Amino acid sequence: MKRSFAGKTDTGLVRSVNQDSYYIDSDGRFFIVADGMGGHAGGQEASRIATQAIQSYLLEHWEGPEDSPLLLEKAFLIANQAILTDQLDHPERADMGTTAVVLMFRDENRPWCANIGDSRLYRLHGSRLEQITEDQTWVAQAVKRKALTPDQARSHPWRHVLSQCLGRDDVREIDILPVDVQPGDRLLLCSDGLTEELSDPLIASPLKSIRACEGAATALIQAAKDKGGRDNITVVIVTIDLK
């Protein structure tokens, strides 16, 4: 399954510090986006620690006996513990945490994704954009219960309240699922700095019209900035190449 890929991150127009982190494996085997929180230094450190811990664990155990879901789960739990340890060493960062979303190509023709928090994975199949991950937020749960409509959720004052993130000793559930992909599909990992500014149709537009991954990533970040750029913006695009 050949693929092309690119990633970009931007501080945006309001924040002074970029608390997002991302990593692209040089061989295109896995991709990570993390969005930190907990003050300037805390958020930066949380996303950096998580990205580095997940990256290191996946690389070290890539050829190991664990199946892919277990490998991802262990990588996330190791990252969570790394942040907890840093919190103990640096009490000034005790409230830091981070989201994380990972896309991994380890099994033949069946990638897997894992996420915690509200960074997202999307798939563009033909002209249809589909959100693969489910936000772990208060408003997402309210929409699921039909207590809020999706339109109400987009502007709700609690829309940033996470129900899960890395950096907490009560981490209960990491969402891990296989991703169905076909040649020509595009996959997008992103922080909420993109999805807060752009509706799904506005996200889909450059993914459909700009074939180069780097060009599409640049266009998405610029579109989010044109809409206000109120948060850090990170995007990673993976295209499943046509045979």
Side-chain angles (χ1 to χ4, degrees), residues 45-181:
E45 277 300 293
S47 66
R48 181 194 65 79
I49 290 168
T51 300
Q52 184 174 353
I54 292 169
Q55 166 201 344
S56 297
Y57 191 85
L58 293 182
L59 289 173
E60 184 177 349
H61 297 85
W62 193 261
E63 301 295 340
E66 298 98 338
D67 62 19
S68 291
L70 182 58
L71 182 67
L72 285 168
E73 180 182 30
K74 286 186 174 180
F76 271 59
L77 293 176
I78 289 290
N80 188 61
Q81 187 57 54
I83 297 171
L84 292 175
T85 299
D86 189 86
Q87 291 171 348
L88 291 174
D89 293 340
H90 302 277
E92 71 276 13
R93 298 200 290 261
D95 64 342
M96 70 177 177
T98 187
T99 71
V101 59
V102 176
L103 174 67
M104 183 175 76
F105 293 81
R106 184 170 178 247
D107 300 342
E108 186 67 25
N109 296 325
R110 186 172 69 166
W112 288 83
C113 76
N115 81 288
I116 190 167
D118 62 356
S119 292
R120 293 178 180 176
L121 174 69
Y122 286 92
R123 179 182 70 148
L124 181 75
H125 178 69
S127 61
R128 187 169 73 92
L129 185 71
E130 174 189 9
Q131 182 179 334
I132 301 297
T133 54
E134 184 176 304
D135 294 348
Q136 295 182 345
T137 60
W138 183 90
V139 296
Q141 292 172 351
V143 169
K144 205 169 186 178
R145 297 193 309 268
K146 301 190 184 306
L148 290 175
T149 68
D151 284 344
Q152 289 172 328
R154 284 191 64 83
S155 59
H156 197 280
W158 292 1
R159 66 189 181 278
H160 299 299
V161 177
L162 301 177
S163 57
Q164 287 274 273
C165 69
L166 296 178
R168 302 292 180 264
D169 56 13
D170 62 345
V171 167
R172 301 180 306 278
E173 185 176 354
I174 299 153
D175 289 343
I176 301 172
L177 66 156
V179 184
D180 179 33
V181 293

